[in-house]
Amino acid sequence: MIRGLANKKLDTAKKYLLEAGSVYIGCHILPDGDAVGSLLGLGRALRSLGKACTLACADPIPFKFDFLPGVQDIVANPPTAEEVIVTVDSSDVERLGALYDEAIFHSRPVINIDHHVTNTAFGTVNLVQFLPSTAEIVYALIKRLGALLDKDTAAALLTGLVTDTRCFRTGNVTTKQLRTAIAFMKAGASLAEITELVFNRKPVSTICLWGQSLANAQTRGRIIWTEISRDMMRKCGATPNDGNGLVSHLASTLGVDVAIVFRETDDGRVDASMRAGPGWDISGVAFKLGGGGHPKAAGCTIAGDMHTVRDLVLSEIEAVLQDQKAACHDQ
Ligand code: AMP
Ligand code: MN
Ligand code: MN
């Protein structure tokens, strides 16, 4: 956690970054707005200080972020000659996918900037704070660096804040996030443009996939789930990104405590994306199952067929709900 150590850790990160001639910044696989926004925002700020920056993501960037300047320059390769490595919004090195190269990561400073409770503190410096978005930690670092917050940097960071808070609707939003959003808007970022492009528009492939998935949604007690097979994705012309947002939609069902979307991956595994309602914490069960996340938004990817993984995850979630209900009554 940054709290208490905040300034010291920020200063250590600042020292590494200011001394480096070149910086490599990588974000997690299947990138969301916080990953892309933090990547672009930090990259622009460091470039304004004269640093050469490589920005990387192992997976393609969803087209809805195309409006952010610099998206086209993001590469998919691991670091090579850059002097310092920064990771954003990645709770562990597996989440970096093909960007992670053990030998390279162990040969130079790694600055781990993240907001997940399940972060494994894999960096030389760990700027890990349980804020609603990584973009806010990037903003704190940018201020500490004395770097420029121009319109495009602010738009990238506001995209991160807006996506991870689902437009300031998540339970962890306080006046702090609203004040940070005001700072980004004062720097020229358009909240209306970001919400329109990131939230209000969906391609036909998404509508097709959500339609089929919602039609097959099932409940067991206070858990709701649905499954996305590779066949469904093929029929809808969908990519894994088309499934983003579906789990939050399912979680809006009345009387539901946990929502899960199971999706078959191309490499024969099953990805479980999970959301929990107020009072529950599913980060621990996701971590136990080899994944990670936040108390109310977590996920894991498990080897096996759909039936086996679904039954395993459902029984683990049922157990967690029982335990937490019992703990709640004990208090
Ligand atoms: P998602 O459901 O994909 O929106 O992810 C919700 C949260 O869980 C995000 O903060 C992710 O970083 C985390 N998460 C999702 N899938 C995984 C996974 N396979 N491994 C680790 N963390 C994950
Ligand atoms: Mn995030
Ligand atoms: Mn993310």
Side-chain angles (χ1 to χ4, degrees):
M1 279 289 281
I2 276 189
R3 200 176 297 128
L5 287 170
N7 293 343
K8 194 161 167 259
K9 286 196 176 185
L10 285 170
D11 283 339
T12 311
K14 176 180 174 178
K15 183 170 172 292
Y16 280 126
L17 291 170
L18 293 185
E19 284 174 0
S22 58
V23 180
Y24 175 97
I25 315 173
C27 71
H28 65 75
I29 52 173
L30 293 176
D32 50 26
D34 193 28
V36 178
S38 297
L39 187 66
L40 292 174
L42 184 58
R44 269 191 83 77
L46 287 173
R47 282 173 183 155
S48 78
L49 295 173
K51 302 291 161 192
C53 285
T54 304
L55 309 189
C57 180
D59 281 336
I61 309 298
F63 78 91
K64 65 183 169 189
F65 302 122
D66 280 356
F67 73 99
L68 292 171
V71 165
Q72 295 74 14
D73 303 331
I74 297 173
V75 298
N77 53 282
T80 50
E82 296 91 351
E83 294 160 38
V84 168
I85 296 170
V86 182
T87 63
V88 290
D89 203 36
S90 192
S91 53
D92 55 57
V93 292
E94 285 76 35
R95 291 284 288 162
L96 295 168
L99 302 186
Y100 182 65
D101 179 310
E102 194 177 350
I104 296 176
F105 271 66
H106 281 111
S107 69
R108 63 204 73 182
V110 174
I111 302 170
N112 162 19
I113 307 179
D114 186 40
H115 67 132
H116 294 93
V117 284
T118 55
N119 190 283
T120 57
F122 56 86
T124 318
V125 185
N126 298 295
L127 296 183
V128 179
Q129 191 175 11
F130 309 144
L131 286 165
S133 67
T134 294
E136 296 163 74
I137 310 173
V138 170
Y139 177 48
L141 179 59
I142 287 176
K143 284 194 285 189
R144 201 79 184 168
L145 286 165
L148 186 68
L149 181 78
D150 68 7
K151 177 174 179 277
D152 291 342
T153 304
L157 297 179
L158 185 57
T159 299
L161 180 54
V162 159
T163 42
D164 268 22
T165 59
R166 300 180 53 238
C167 293
F168 307 103
R169 286 182 294 167
T170 49
N172 51 6
V173 170
T174 67
T175 52
K176 181 177 164 62
Q177 283 65 48
L178 298 179
R179 277 199 302 271
T180 302
I182 290 170
F184 295 154
M185 291 173 78
K186 278 187 175 162
S190 167
L191 180 61
E193 181 188 32
I194 293 167
T195 50
E196 175 65 11
L197 296 174
V198 175
F199 280 95
N200 297 351
R201 297 282 152 202
K202 293 180 183 62
V204 172
S205 53
T206 301
I207 299 299
C208 171
L209 195 68
W210 284 35
Q212 293 198 26
S213 312
L214 290 171
N216 293 324
Q218 295 177 63
T219 55
R220 184 190 291 179
R222 293 176 69 88
I223 305 172
I224 188 165
W225 80 91
T226 193
E227 300 168 6
I228 299 178
S229 64
R230 268 177 294 181
D231 196 40
M232 282 163 68
M233 304 249 300
R234 203 169 34 247
K235 281 184 185 143
C236 291
T239 68
N241 290 320
D242 286 289
N244 292 350
L246 174 61
V247 69
S248 297
H249 192 63
L250 275 184
S252 68
T253 313
L254 270 176
V256 154
D257 292 326
V258 174
I260 313 171
V261 171
F262 296 100
R263 178 182 56 80
E264 286 178 346
T265 67
D266 286 339
D267 61 4
R269 297 187 295 164
V270 175
D271 182 89
S273 170
M274 308 184 274
R275 295 291 182 272
W280 306 107
D281 182 349
I282 49 169
S283 59
V285 67
F287 190 70
K288 180 183 163 195
L289 292 167
H294 311 284
K296 297 189 171 34
C300 53
T301 310
I302 301 175
D305 61 40
M306 181 62 91
H307 292 247
T308 317
V309 173
R310 182 197 60 205
D311 288 349
L312 169 70
V313 173
L314 286 177
S315 61
E316 290 286 344
I317 290 287
E318 278 180 325
V320 160
L321 292 181
Q322 278 300 329
D323 284 355
Q324 292 181 8
K325 201 166 146 191
C328 189
H329 280 299
D330 289 347
Q331 280 169 8

